[in-house]
Amino acid sequence: MLDSGTVQALLSGTHGAPRDVLGPHHWKKGKSSMTTVRVLHPGAQRVRLKTPKTDMPMTAVADAPGLFEADVPGTVTAYRLDFEGHHGQQWSAADPYAFGGQLSEFDLHLLSEGEHLHAYDKLGAHPLTLDGTSGVHFALWAPNAQQVSVVGDFNAWDVRVHGMSRSGGSGIWELFIPGLTSGDVYKFSLLAPDGRRLDKADPYGFQAEVRPKTANVVADLAGFEWGDDEWMTARAAADPLCQPISILEVHLGSWARVPETNGFLTYDDLSRGLVDYVGAHGYTHIELMPVSEHPYDPSWGYQVVGYYAPTSRFGSPKDFMRFVDTLHRAGIGVLLDWVPAHFPRDPHGLASFDGTALYEHADPRQGTHPDWGTNVFNFGRREVRNFLLSNALYWLRLYHIDGLRVDAVSSMLYLDYSRQPGEWVPNAYGGRENLEAISFLQRMNVLVHEHAPGAITVAEESTSWPMVSRPVYLGGLGFTFKWNMGWMNDTLAYFKRDPIHRTFHHNQLTFSLLYAFNENFILALSHDEVVHLKGSLLEKMPGDLWQKFANVRALFGYLWTHPGKKLIFQGMDF
């Protein structure tokens, strides 16, 4: 018998353990085995239960519309349900609650310890077949939620239909939903501790709807046939420190557009255009400004919501795989901007994910970024570190990315970054260094170099922090390269001057050679130097138009002959 409180929780979509009530439940009747099957579907008026031996109507539970049950002799595990709706519509389905949890104890242990390097293989949405039944397995980390449901078009976005159940004490919820497949749209609906209902995108979702829509799309990433074996083999055997590297930084949304509509090109169109252009101009790599899913076009991708989803603006995840494969076949490396420093506060994103400060710090002195209006990751929380570390390996493993340029490293290293006295919390030793972030960066670099031979990591770091590009075992942060921001600032300041004044500022050109080999530097003239009304390189130069172009040519001559790898932003070479 079901007590009234349980029935009410089921009908209101607030029951936190629906598998304890719904699905098959085995019991003894004397010496005989019995199975009680319970089903909840608010859209159903009648339900029939079909087993290999039985075809019987289920009984509607009194005063509980949509709740049905049936007692079946024996131990029943395999069955299907035939539904009849209130308007005569009929459909058949397997019961989600007939399937147990799919995460092993070892998986749950590694996820809780923050050491599951392929967490994306377990969390999120994964098409699979169980006992001959195809469907999608969903798993979500939301330890403080009272209840979690999978919602989508397949259940009319009704939180009562597909409630998830916890897997032990891990804080992970899971559910297998039969009948779903790639292309189905979904979200997670969470009941926060304070009773609010939160509709969230999947943190581990592989594909998102095209903005402004904010749901995820079930995607199967298996089966893509890569043709870049020669590239990957050569990369693994190479030493990037000893290779010439010349990088074109590219924003896919603006590098080229559809001429007739000014709309976005597809990944396929972009790859063909970039192969022709980059190959003709002798670049060895492109560096993509973030392609992870983001809701706001003018953010250029630096306000990430879907860390595991290549943006759907240009196509599907497999389209992006083909994009990388095409460039690799043409001998061009692909680097990716990666943003582990902060994330936006969009309501469908990571902010206050389960109604609490889950991915961020609860204390705003640690958990908010004053410059960008974003939240700062809690690098000391194991599950958060696992989320980001797995994400770094995900891009390198599944998409064959050749390296990660880590954005805003300085903001991660210092607890008082852009904060006034009293607006930050010192570390355990009273200092301003973010010890958890330092540990995270070191761990990330070790894992990348261990699991992706030949791949590089690049720090955008603008302070005098020592040993950024030195190995972790020597006390460094472990990056392969560091952007030389000092060289960039000094050089642009010099070239902006009228030639008559430059004779008094030659030190701005010569100073960089005093420290050029202290780190493994990339000399970067990036998007940051030409945005926010800063003007193009050409506009920075003194003189008439002929002199401006001559200055830009002189600047590039200096750039390409100075020690260090090279990077310029798209359009600077025009």
Side-chain angles (χ1 to χ4, degrees):
M1 298 290 291
L2 298 178
D3 63 80
S4 59
T6 299
V7 171
Q8 182 57 38
L10 289 171
L11 296 181
S12 63
T14 59
H15 199 294
R19 191 179 282 125
D20 291 350
V21 183
L22 304 176
H25 296 272
H26 309 302
W27 52 285
K28 290 287 187 179
K29 184 178 182 180
K31 294 184 178 182
S32 302
S33 297
M34 298 288 291
T35 300
T36 296
V37 178
R38 294 193 188 91
V39 175
L40 173 64
H41 200 300
Q45 187 174 17
R46 298 180 184 87
V47 183
R48 292 191 70 84
L49 176 68
K50 291 187 175 182
T51 74
K53 298 180 180 180
T54 307
D55 184 347
M56 60 185 294
M58 301 186 74
T59 302
V61 177
D63 300 321
L67 185 60
F68 301 84
E69 62 182 5
D71 291 336
V72 187
T75 301
V76 176
T77 56
Y79 60 90
R80 288 190 67 82
L81 303 167
D82 287 346
F83 295 92
E84 181 180 333
H86 295 288
H87 302 290
Q89 69 272 34
Q90 297 181 345
W91 68 96
S92 178
D95 185 358
Y97 299 102
F99 301 88
Q102 300 304 305
L103 298 180
S104 69
E105 289 295 327
F106 189 51
D107 285 326
L108 295 174
H109 169 74
L110 290 178
L111 289 167
S112 296
E113 288 294 310
E115 290 296 328
H116 204 306
L117 301 183
H118 301 153
Y120 49 85
D121 284 336
K122 302 299 178 181
L123 298 176
H126 297 274
L128 51 83
T129 300
L130 297 177
D131 301 328
T133 300
S134 61
V136 176
H137 177 257
F138 296 90
L140 177 74
W141 178 59
N144 302 306
Q146 297 187 63
Q147 186 271 345
V148 180
S149 294
V150 185
V151 294
D153 293 335
F154 49 85
N155 59 19
W157 302 86
D158 191 330
V159 299
R160 298 170 292 177
V161 180
H162 291 120
M164 306 177 78
S165 295
R166 293 179 186 268
S167 295
S170 63
I172 294 174
W173 304 72
E174 59 175 322
L175 180 68
F176 175 75
I177 303 181
L180 297 193
T181 187
S182 297
D184 282 319
V185 174
Y186 72 99
K187 268 189 176 183
F188 292 113
S189 183
L190 297 83
L191 187 63
D194 60 5
R196 289 177 296 146
R197 177 64 66 174
L198 306 172
D199 288 336
K200 293 288 189 176
D202 183 358
Y204 285 86
F206 292 153
Q207 185 174 353
E209 289 186 294
V210 180
R211 51 87 183 104
K213 295 182 178 181
T214 58
N216 287 102
V217 179
V218 176
D220 188 353
L221 301 187
F224 181 80
E225 295 186 9
W226 289 90
D228 63 349
D229 290 349
E230 184 178 346
W231 171 271
M232 296 298 287
T233 300
R235 192 193 79 181
D239 180 0
L241 296 177
C242 299
Q243 290 181 309
I245 293 179
S246 179
I247 305 166
L248 180 68
E249 186 188 25
V250 174
H251 177 244
L252 290 179
S254 60
W255 181 76
R257 296 284 193 118
V258 178
E260 296 78 14
T261 64
N262 197 36
F264 292 133
L265 295 173
T266 65
Y267 284 120
D268 287 335
D269 291 335
L270 288 162
S271 66
R272 287 190 290 268
L274 282 165
V275 163
D276 292 341
Y277 186 84
V278 171
H281 289 76
Y283 297 102
T284 62
H285 294 72
I286 63 170
E287 179 182 307
L288 299 179
M289 294 169 73
V291 298
S292 303
E293 194 56 76
H294 52 283
Y296 186 51
D297 290 356
S299 78
W300 313 314
Y302 290 97
Q303 305 277 349
V304 179
V305 167
Y307 275 80
Y308 286 83
T311 178
S312 54
R313 288 166 174 80
F314 317 118
S316 69
K318 287 187 176 178
D319 291 338
F320 183 61
M321 290 180 181
R322 190 163 53 252
F323 171 92
V324 177
D325 191 54
T326 299
L327 271 81
H328 280 177
R329 291 184 188 213
I332 301 167
V334 182
L335 310 176
L336 193 66
D337 257 10
W338 189 53
V339 192
H342 63 114
F343 58 91
R345 300 171 186 170
D346 296 74
H348 66 285
L350 298 177
S352 300
F353 189 81
D354 61 1
T356 68
L358 192 62
Y359 286 87
E360 68 271 37
H361 282 278
D363 189 335
R365 296 176 297 172
Q366 298 171 284
T368 62
H369 198 291
D371 285 352
W372 304 317
T374 53
N375 290 345
V376 177
F377 280 105
N378 183 351
F379 300 107
R381 189 161 196 169
R382 294 191 297 269
E383 296 89 346
V384 175
R385 288 168 59 98
N386 205 159
F387 171 78
L388 292 170
L389 293 172
S390 293
N391 186 243
L393 297 179
Y394 165 82
W395 291 108
L396 300 170
R397 176 191 173 207
L398 271 67
Y399 290 95
H400 291 199
I401 295 297
D402 299 299
L404 302 173
R405 176 266 193 185
V406 182
D407 182 62
V409 170
S410 299
S411 73
M412 302 170 67
L413 295 176
Y414 299 98
L415 294 166
D416 62 346
Y417 185 88
S418 285
R419 292 179 173 88
Q420 301 301 317
E423 297 178 350
W424 58 282
V425 180
N427 63 34
Y429 304 100
R432 57 196 284 256
E433 298 80 12
N434 190 332
L435 303 181
E436 290 82 7
I438 295 167
S439 171
F440 161 75
L441 290 171
Q442 291 175 322
R443 177 69 170 151
M444 181 274 298
N445 282 310
V446 168
L447 289 175
V448 167
H449 292 116
E450 176 183 354
H451 291 271
I456 66 173
T457 58
V458 183
E460 185 209 17
E461 206 287 304
S462 57
T463 73
S464 57
W465 188 282
M467 302 178 67
V468 170
S469 58
R470 293 293 180 261
V472 171
Y473 64 81
L474 294 179
L477 292 182
F479 285 93
T480 320
F481 296 106
K482 172 182 173 175
W483 273 16
N484 194 336
M485 311 296 280
W487 172 89
M488 176 273 298
N489 283 311
D490 287 347
T491 301
L492 289 182
Y494 178 88
F495 271 87
K496 288 177 183 178
R497 300 181 188 278
D498 189 283
I500 197 171
H501 301 301
R502 289 178 181 172
T503 186
F504 304 105
H505 298 279
H506 287 325
N507 62 294
Q508 290 181 315
L509 291 187
T510 60
F511 178 60
S512 59
L513 287 178
L514 296 180
Y515 61 88
F517 305 101
N518 289 352
E519 300 275 5
N520 302 322
F521 280 123
I522 290 179
L523 309 180
L525 296 175
S526 73
H527 67 278
D528 279 328
E529 314 323 318
V530 295
V531 298
H532 301 311
L533 304 179
K534 293 179 180 178
S536 68
L537 284 188
L538 193 69
E539 292 170 340
K540 296 179 192 296
M541 301 302 168
D544 59 24
L545 191 60
W546 186 93
Q547 291 171 319
K548 289 178 182 290
F549 273 110
N551 273 287
V552 173
R553 290 194 298 273
L555 169 60
F556 283 159
Y558 176 54
L559 164 64
W560 258 273
T561 54
H562 191 290
K565 312 305 183 183
K566 327 299 179 184
L567 177 144
I568 65 170
F569 182 50
Q570 64 184 32
M572 288 183 176
D573 52 1
F574 288 177

